[in-house]
Amino acid sequence: MGDGEQSRNEEFQSFMVGRWPRLMRTAFLLTGEQHAAEDLVQSTLEQVYVAWRRVGAADDPEAYVRRVMINAHARRHRRRLREFLAPKDDSGLVREVADTGDRIAQADDRGALLTALAQLPARQREAVVLRYWEDLTETQTAEAMGCSVGTVKSNAAKGIAKLRAIPGLAETVTHGGRK
């Protein structure tokens, strides 16, 4: 293995290790299942590794990887694979460790939130996850989704409106069940 290739492999490995938790959280929110999220992140990183020379040289490699992941998720969704955001038996799943300050982790009824996300159409769910849980700007979200800023605004607004219309959900997320 040449020095250039070894250096590129080390750079990719460093990127992958540093971004894995955030990529897993995004993938989990998109797919709703731990195993599907792992598959999505792994297949995304496989694609990125092949093109790492180009990806690593990009202005924002994380945005590039996020776009690859959104596209991979969209392809799976188009194939009409069923996604379950609230598995019937989740006893064997490893729980993700949330970032400090993560509003989702503060909610007492996370299952209700995941069930509500499952009810959103894929594009609305992508917009809500990227804008509000990943805290991306509208422009960054548009780039990740491959659409215009107006489409992001529309999908995010519709998605949030549907989530707010679910009885009890807004209070659970806003107050986290605490006073």
Side-chain angles (χ1 to χ4, degrees), residues 5 15 27 42 46 69 76 79 118 122 135-136 140 149-150 154 156 166 172:
E5 187 176 349
F15 175 86
Q42 288 175 359
E46 286 173 7
M69 186 165 56
R76 288 179 182 181
R79 285 189 220 133
D135 201 26
L136 299 181
Q140 290 170 325
V149 171
S154 174
I166 298 172
T172 300

Side-chain angles (χ1 to χ4, degrees), residues 71 73-81:
N71 288 343
H73 178 260
R75 277 192 304 276
R76 288 179 182 181
H77 182 73
R78 278 193 290 267
R79 285 189 220 133
R80 305 212 187 272
L81 292 178

Side-chain angles (χ1 to χ4, degrees), residues 142-153:
E143 289 172 6
M145 291 176 62
C147 63
S148 70
V149 171
T151 300
V152 168
K153 288 179 181 182

